[in-house]
Structure formats: C-alpha cells, structure tokens
Amino acid sequence: MPLPRIVRTVKGLRSTVQKWRSAGESVALVPTMGALHDGHMTLVKLAKRKADRTVVSIFVNPTQFAPTEDLSRYPRDEAGDAAKLGSAGADLIWAPSVEEMYRDGFATTIVPKGAALPLEGEFRPHHFAGVATVCAKLFSQSMADVAIFGEKDYQQLCVIRQVVCDLDLPVRIVAAPTSRDRDGLARSSRNAYLTAQERAIAPALNRALHGIAAIAAKGGLVNKAIDVATHDLLHAGFRKVDYLAVCDAETLGSFQTGSGRPGRVLGAAWLGSTRLIDNIAI
Ligand code: PAF
C-alpha cells in the first residue's frame, strides 16, 4: 500500500477534502496523537467502513496536558505511524504543527461542563477544555461527516458527544470498542512507558473493574467493592488509585441498579510514573 499523503496546512487539507466532497465522497476522521498501535488501526478500519475517505490526524495537542504531565516525553514516531496507516489504507494524514493549529493570537477555548466535570475532570481540570477545543477544530478543518473515537477514553467520548450536540456540530460521532491485549490490558500509547515488571501488573486494573461491575450488576454494595478493588490494586503493585467509579454510561452521573439505564465502571491508577485508565460496561 502507498504511504498516505501527509498534509500540514489547513489550506492544503481543505483543498483535498473539498475535492473529495465535490466528487460526492464522504469523509471520516480518526483523531489521534500518533504513536499508533493496533487499537488505532481498528479505528481506521471502522472509519473505512463508515465513509469513502479516511483522514487520520496526528497532533500531540499541548493544551490538553497540564504543565506536570508527559507532553515532552509523549511518544512520537511519524514515519512509523505513516507506514502503519499506509497498510491500513488511510487516505491522508493531517499533521499540523502547533503553530498551524494555534496561530498567533489564538484566544478561543471551549470549556465543557456536564460529563467533563467528574473523574478525569477532577484530576485533570483543564484537560477536557483542551480536548474539546482541538476536536472542534479538527472537525471543522477536516469537514468530516463522521469521527471515530475509541471507548478506551470513555469520558472523552461522552464529552465529545456532548460538545457536538450542544454546539450543533455537523459531524456524527461513532464509538469503537476498546482494543485489548490478550491479558485484558487496554491498548494505549502510554503502555510504552511501562517496564516489563509493570506491564505484568497492569492487567490488574481491568480485573478490578470487572470485580466492581459484577457487584454493581447484582445491585450489591458498590462502595465496598470499590474499597476491595482499591486494596487489590495497591497490593498488586499500583502506586496510587485516582478513582474507581460506577457511573451512568451517558451522563457519567450516579448509577442506580435496576433503573434500566446503562452503567459504566471507570478507573484511573498509577503504575510507577505511568497513569493508566480503563472502563467497562456493566
Ligand atoms: O484521544 C486522543 O488521542 C486525544 O485526546 C485526541 C482526541 C486526539 C485530541 O487531542
């Protein structure tokens, strides 16, 4: 497969997408920060089923990282990413510089509330404003009909759906199930930070979520299940548990067993210097 063309200016992106659209072709966007793994490739495959053309954005967005977070060490491998996207059949890579994305005088930010406030919102207070703003820009730059988001970042998916609905953005959000290694670990670019010993411990997070989900599904004592799971994670070698929570799957507000509404168990925990997140349906 040929390598997809890498486009670095909004003008260049728009002119290609306009040509596709004038020819009656639909466009899917897969927003990424690069360091692509098999999980991203499942998003690209889904995008190819949803539209005639697939644009993959690769942009490590500085505004969604706090000053203490891993922006400078975030893995980057554009050549490797391009090769993988070529094999997956993506049509175009949208890889703007920070200066192209945030031109001189940039002064507008979307600050989502609602689904953005709990969980990650408490631990990373400015994160979703950065994500919402860059995603709104990516949708507008690419003029995509459809955008594909992985359930791995489940709260991000809920926030993006909320932003698209609240701002009437003309893009359809499609969710892709979390891609996992055989031992249950959710695939993530940040897994590259794990030492061999940490990698062996990491699937305990997914097991902890399953333990909580089983209790929640039966209408059992969720707080007790969360305490047990927290203890198990620390015992397994996790350094800190930021949160384990049972939420309404759409609003991320409180979940009532038997309410007929879907539930979701979400968690974030530190393994050494790496913060892992995961979630599963109840
Ligand atoms: O999930 C990610 O990789 C990022 O948060 C996204 C959606 C590409 C926005 O920068």
Side-chain angles (χ1 to χ4, degrees):
M1 284 272 197
L3 289 184
R5 193 154 67 87
I6 303 182
V7 176
R8 300 194 192 275
T9 63
V10 175
K11 203 171 158 207
L13 175 66
R14 284 247 172 88
S15 106
T16 300
V17 175
Q18 294 278 22
K19 277 184 207 136
W20 291 339
R21 297 188 71 91
S22 316
E25 292 179 316
S26 57
V27 178
L29 170 71
V30 182
T32 83
M33 297 205 298
L36 303 179
H37 48 70
D38 289 353
H40 291 112
M41 295 309 122
T42 63
L43 304 185
V44 174
K45 275 186 205 135
L46 182 57
K48 285 177 66 65
R49 292 210 306 273
K50 297 286 170 189
D52 302 309
R53 297 286 186 170
T54 299
V55 173
V56 178
S57 62
I58 297 181
F59 180 67
V60 182
N61 175 34
T63 67
Q64 67 190 74
F65 290 77
T68 51
E69 291 179 349
D70 56 345
L71 174 61
S72 59
R73 73 169 181 141
Y74 197 84
R76 288 167 169 84
D77 175 19
E78 191 181 271
D81 290 346
K84 286 178 193 159
L85 291 172
S87 311
D91 293 286
L92 184 152
I93 298 173
W94 168 223
S97 63
V98 173
E99 293 71 29
E100 178 71 1
M101 184 61 86
Y102 300 111
R103 287 184 295 273
D104 268 357
F106 181 87
T108 304
T109 300
I110 296 169
V111 183
K113 296 189 178 163
L117 294 179
L119 311 173
E120 292 297 298
E122 285 176 17
F123 288 87
R124 308 178 71 192
H126 305 291
H127 175 67
F128 286 124
V131 170
T133 305
V134 83
C135 286
K137 283 174 70 66
L138 291 168
F139 299 155
S140 143
Q141 292 161 345
S142 65
M143 296 178 279
D145 301 282
V146 183
I148 315 289
F149 285 82
E151 287 186 342
K152 154 78 176 35
D153 294 294
Y154 190 79
Q155 188 173 7
Q156 168 172 280
L157 170 67
C158 295
V159 171
I160 293 301
R161 283 196 161 128
Q162 176 186 297
V163 169
V164 164
C165 174
D166 290 353
L167 301 184
D168 303 308
L169 302 181
V171 61
R172 187 161 64 89
I173 302 303
V174 171
T178 304
S179 166
R180 297 183 182 279
D181 288 345
R182 290 168 77 92
D183 58 8
L185 178 66
R187 295 197 168 114
S188 163
S189 305
R190 288 189 169 99
N191 293 353
Y193 300 151
L194 299 173
T195 64
Q197 197 190 353
E198 289 166 348
R199 175 63 191 78
I201 297 169
L205 178 58
N206 186 248
R207 286 198 297 274
L209 300 185
H210 278 282
I212 297 168
I215 304 284
K218 286 190 290 196
L221 296 174
V222 164
N223 287 344
K224 182 154 180 263
I226 289 175
D227 286 348
V228 170
T230 304
H231 173 271
D232 288 350
L233 285 175
L234 297 175
H235 186 72
F238 276 78
R239 177 166 67 77
K240 186 172 176 274
V241 176
D242 277 353
Y243 60 81
L244 292 168
V246 177
C247 297
D248 181 282
E250 279 161 27
T251 63
L252 300 185
S254 58
F255 169 74
Q256 305 294 336
T257 312
S259 65
R261 291 194 49 88
R264 202 90 190 172
V265 187
L266 302 97
W270 290 87
L271 196 44
S273 58
T274 306
R275 187 172 185 273
L276 298 179
I277 61 171
D278 196 0
N279 68 87
I280 57 167
I282 292 177

